[in-house]
Amino acid sequence: MELSVMLSMLGSSLVFTFFIFFITLVGSLPLGVLIALARMSRLRVLSSIAKIYISFMRGTPLMLQLMFFMFAPYYIFDIPIDVNWKYWACSIGFILNYAAYFAEIYRSGIQSIPVGQYEAASVLGYSKSQTFMKIILPQVIKRILPAMGNEIITLIKDTSLAFVLGIAEMFTVAKQIANSQVTLLPYIIAAAVYWVICLIIEYGLNKTEKKLDYYHD
């Protein structure tokens, strides 16, 4: 197989890698906020449910969760699995899994803000929404950015787990080419692409972190 053909196949499969990556972020980032708020709720039932959810999603393998969402409709509800269901199962699995991790990061960031800042803002006449948006949120973003960056970089690599559902993302295609051509080159190229993507994300996160340097602890 010519190198140009190999690169073309890997490039086409990269679309699915980015699809999983972006759909997970779009779904899990806001969902993580809701779960974090539920986890910090004074309602014991709501807090307990969120705590159990986080514990379960972080305590079981993502691959197992993907398989569950893939086959649960058929085995539990006897619903025929559509050919496109694997994309939905993949999206649901990734979003629910990463939302649990993001929720704990959000919670740690919010709880790290001293209570005195809320009290000072109240004395100055700030409403609760103004206090959160103008004082608390910028500090929380700065504090959680390194941890969020780690999870986002991990997500890029975890997209390779979609192979268990038969989704032709980059790792799956690299594996197929390597097996058919008996060569390690597809793996080397795929590794280089993953690395470059991670470097780009790191660069973006570092730039963002520098812009937030004026929020000193």
Side-chain angles (χ1 to χ4, degrees), residues 192-208:
V193 173
Y194 282 122
W195 185 32
V196 170
I197 294 172
C198 289
L199 287 175
I200 294 172
I201 293 173
E202 286 178 13
Y203 176 79
L205 290 170
N206 288 335
K207 294 287 285 186
T208 304

Side-chain angles (χ1 to χ4, degrees), residues 108-110 112-114 117 135-146 209 212-217:
S108 65
I110 294 172
S112 69
I113 305 299
Q117 294 199 26
I135 299 175
I136 305 301
L137 185 59
Q139 296 181 75
V140 169
I141 292 175
K142 182 195 172 186
R143 294 186 182 197
I144 69 175
L145 199 58
E209 214 168 338
L212 294 174
D213 274 348
Y214 54 84
Y215 291 108
H216 298 293
D217 295 331

Side-chain angles (χ1 to χ4, degrees), residues 33-101:
V33 174
L34 297 178
I35 297 172
L37 293 176
R39 176 70 177 82
M40 294 184 293
S41 173
R42 294 180 181 179
L43 295 176
R44 183 172 296 181
V45 174
L46 186 59
S47 178
S48 297
I49 292 174
K51 187 176 181 179
I52 292 171
Y53 171 83
I54 292 170
S55 176
F56 181 81
M57 298 307 290
R58 297 200 307 170
T60 56
L62 174 56
M63 187 182 296
L64 187 153
Q65 295 169 21
L66 293 174
M67 296 293 285
F68 173 83
F69 288 115
M70 178 68 185
F71 298 108
Y74 178 76
Y75 287 114
I76 298 178
F77 304 106
D78 199 27
I79 300 175
I81 298 176
D82 183 78
V83 66
N84 292 318
W85 172 246
K86 60 185 178 182
Y87 299 107
W88 285 99
C90 181
S91 300
I92 294 170
F94 269 91
I95 289 172
L96 294 181
N97 180 274
Y98 270 83
Y101 287 92

